[in-house]
């Protein structure tokens, strides 16, 4: 690990200013992703701004009947919150499908949205990777790509966004609230938060330099039955090959997003409208523009079978 300097921020605005004002600075909260990347020298920040003491660890009801979740609320606390369990169960299920109990105790809501890819070549500093070192190439294209993306990828990068929580946030139409270094704030719909890779796969979200996540807000509950189905190579402590977050209403309509398939949680309105017609219609439409590799083309029929299982459970 390379040496770095450290400071503890006292307000969200100061945190944003501190990161924007220091070259190669990073926020640190739970550190469950960043510290691993620093140990491997994939990330080498020169300065860390600790954001753990900013009072952003509360979950509050909103006037509109939703929930406003502080960015520092732990994954454990969020998944166990009585209103989340009762009204946003897809979120509880998605969080509890991820990582391990110890990691969920440390990982935060804001940090979870910012998880970096688990492409194996990203972690191997002997291999070219446009995400780790822009312009160096992509070892995954033509390499082992079983776990990587089938849609929304580019000629520069075929990695996926790896998380579970954000897939549920996408289905729930969450909003990410931020503060910028100049003190201004904005609200970013979850669907717009992660970028497709294009020519710049090292830029993973629409956040500007120093922009800091303060909250994630959920609109009023959707009702219906909530599901998070995750298919992976082992039963626990593994990232999704395919995941399905869904909220299904009694008449068979609903919402669905897929994880493990793309640079962002993958939700397509035209596909979702086909839910009453069944899993094949939805997946055919959602992945009509897919560009899978020979190694990962199995993910599309796997997504169909996973969604079919969810829809069968919804009818039970
Ligand atoms: Fe790097 Fe993306 Fe290629 Fe993986 S797929 S090696 S993360 S550029």
């Amino acid at each position: 690990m390379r040496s770095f300097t450290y400071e503890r921020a006292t307000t969200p605005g100061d945190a944003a200013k501190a990161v924007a004002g220091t070259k190669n600075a990073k926020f640190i909260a739970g550190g469950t992703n960043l510290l691993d990347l620093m140990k491997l020298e994939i990330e080498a920040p020169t300065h860390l701004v600790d954001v753990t003491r900013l009072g952003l660890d509360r979950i509050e009801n909103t006037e509109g009947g939703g929930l406003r979740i502080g960015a520092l609320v732990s994954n454990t606390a969020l998944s166990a919150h009585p209103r989340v369990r009762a009204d946003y169960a897809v979120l509880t299920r998605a969080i509890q499908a991820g990582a391990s109990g110890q990691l969920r105790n440390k990982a935060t809501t804001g940090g979870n949205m910012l998880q970096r890819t688990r492409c194996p070549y990203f972690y191997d500093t002997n291999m070219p990777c446009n995400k780790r070192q822009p312009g160096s190439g992509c070892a995954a294209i033509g390499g082992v790509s079983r776990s990587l993306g089938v849609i929304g990828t580019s000629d520069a990068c075929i990695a996926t966004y790896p998380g579970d929580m954000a897939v549920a946030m996408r289905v729930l139409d969450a909003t990410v609230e931020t503060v910028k270094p100049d003190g201004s704030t904005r609200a970013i719909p979850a669907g717009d938060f992660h970028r497709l890779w294009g020519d710049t796969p090292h830029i993973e979200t629409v956040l500007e330099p120093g922009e800091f996540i303060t909250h994630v807000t959920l609109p009023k509950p959707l009702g219906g039955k909530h599901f998070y189905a995750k298919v992976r190579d082992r039963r626990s402590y593994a990232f999704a090959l395919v995941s399905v977050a869904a909220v299904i209403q009694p008449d068979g309509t609903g919402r669905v997003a897929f994880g493990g398939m793309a640079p962002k949680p993958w939700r397509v309105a035209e596909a979702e409208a086909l839910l009453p017609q069944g899993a094949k219609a939805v997946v055919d439409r959602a992945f009509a523009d897919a560009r899978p590799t020979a190694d990962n083309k199995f993910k599309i029929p796997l997504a169909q079978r996973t969604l079919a299982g969810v829809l069968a459970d919804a009818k039970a």
Side-chain angles (χ1 to χ4, degrees):
M1 186 185 283
R2 308 257 178 94
S3 60
F4 56 88
T5 51
Y6 169 91
E7 73 176 277
R8 184 176 287 157
T10 51
T11 70
D14 286 348
K17 251 188 248 164
V19 165
T22 311
K23 193 164 182 283
N24 206 13
K26 291 260 177 198
F27 302 112
I28 186 159
T32 58
N33 196 186
L34 179 61
L35 290 176
D36 282 349
L37 295 171
M38 288 172 65
K39 287 177 196 167
L40 294 166
E41 298 192 356
I42 295 163
E43 297 254 25
T46 55
H47 185 63
L48 290 183
V49 178
D50 183 338
V51 294
T52 54
R53 313 275 176 98
L54 301 181
L56 296 172
D57 54 356
R58 289 187 289 275
I59 301 174
E60 297 162 324
N61 294 327
T62 66
E63 282 183 8
L67 277 186
R68 191 166 188 240
I69 303 155
L72 277 300
V73 171
S74 74
N75 286 180
T76 298
L78 180 57
S79 70
H81 188 276
R83 271 211 67 202
V84 177
R85 289 168 60 98
D87 294 335
Y88 305 96
V90 63
L91 184 55
T92 291
R93 291 182 180 135
I95 292 170
Q96 292 187 349
S100 64
Q102 292 96 326
L103 286 167
R104 292 193 296 269
N105 287 344
K106 288 299 289 178
T108 62
T109 305
N112 200 329
M113 296 295 293
L114 297 170
Q115 282 193 72
R116 304 207 68 193
T117 189
R118 263 62 181 188
C119 170
Y121 299 105
F122 178 68
Y123 283 81
D124 183 345
T125 53
N126 293 310
M127 302 299 282
C129 171
N130 286 323
K131 186 180 287 296
R132 177 169 25 80
Q133 192 177 353
S136 62
C138 172
I141 296 175
V144 177
S145 55
R146 183 172 177 276
S147 63
L148 302 181
V150 301
I151 197 164
T153 54
S154 73
D155 291 341
C157 180
I158 59 170
T160 59
Y161 167 80
D164 297 295
M165 185 196 81
V167 187
M169 292 293 193
R170 179 75 185 92
V171 151
L172 293 168
D173 276 342
T175 301
V176 180
E177 295 178 38
T178 67
V179 61
K180 295 186 186 182
D182 66 2
S184 63
T185 59
R186 66 170 171 159
I188 306 165
D192 298 336
F193 183 77
H194 295 98
R195 293 176 70 252
L196 300 184
W197 305 140
D199 294 335
T200 53
H202 57 293
I203 303 172
E204 298 175 344
T205 70
V206 298
L207 293 179
E208 296 172 11
E211 190 170 2
F212 174 64
I213 299 175
T214 57
H215 300 86
V216 178
T217 300
L218 300 176
K220 67 181 182 187
L222 295 167
K225 291 184 178 177
H226 290 217
F227 301 89
Y228 191 75
K230 179 175 178 180
V231 182
R232 46 191 155 172
D233 281 333
R234 60 175 182 237
R235 188 69 185 86
S236 72
Y237 197 39
F239 292 94
L241 289 169
V242 170
S243 69
V244 171
V247 176
I248 307 295
Q249 302 297 339
D251 63 1
T253 62
R255 296 184 183 183
V256 63
F258 297 88
M261 305 292 272
K264 61 196 293 183
W266 198 252
R267 182 175 169 205
V268 176
E270 297 81 8
E272 194 171 82
L274 301 174
L275 274 167
Q277 295 180 33
K280 183 172 187 318
V282 174
V283 169
D284 282 352
R285 180 66 191 83
F287 297 99
D289 299 326
R291 296 195 317 168
T293 66
D295 274 359
N296 71 15
K297 63 185 180 192
F298 74 94
K299 284 190 171 193
I300 296 172
L302 182 58
Q304 185 181 318
R305 292 197 298 277
T306 307
L307 177 59
V310 164
L311 296 180
D313 285 349
K315 283 185 187 151

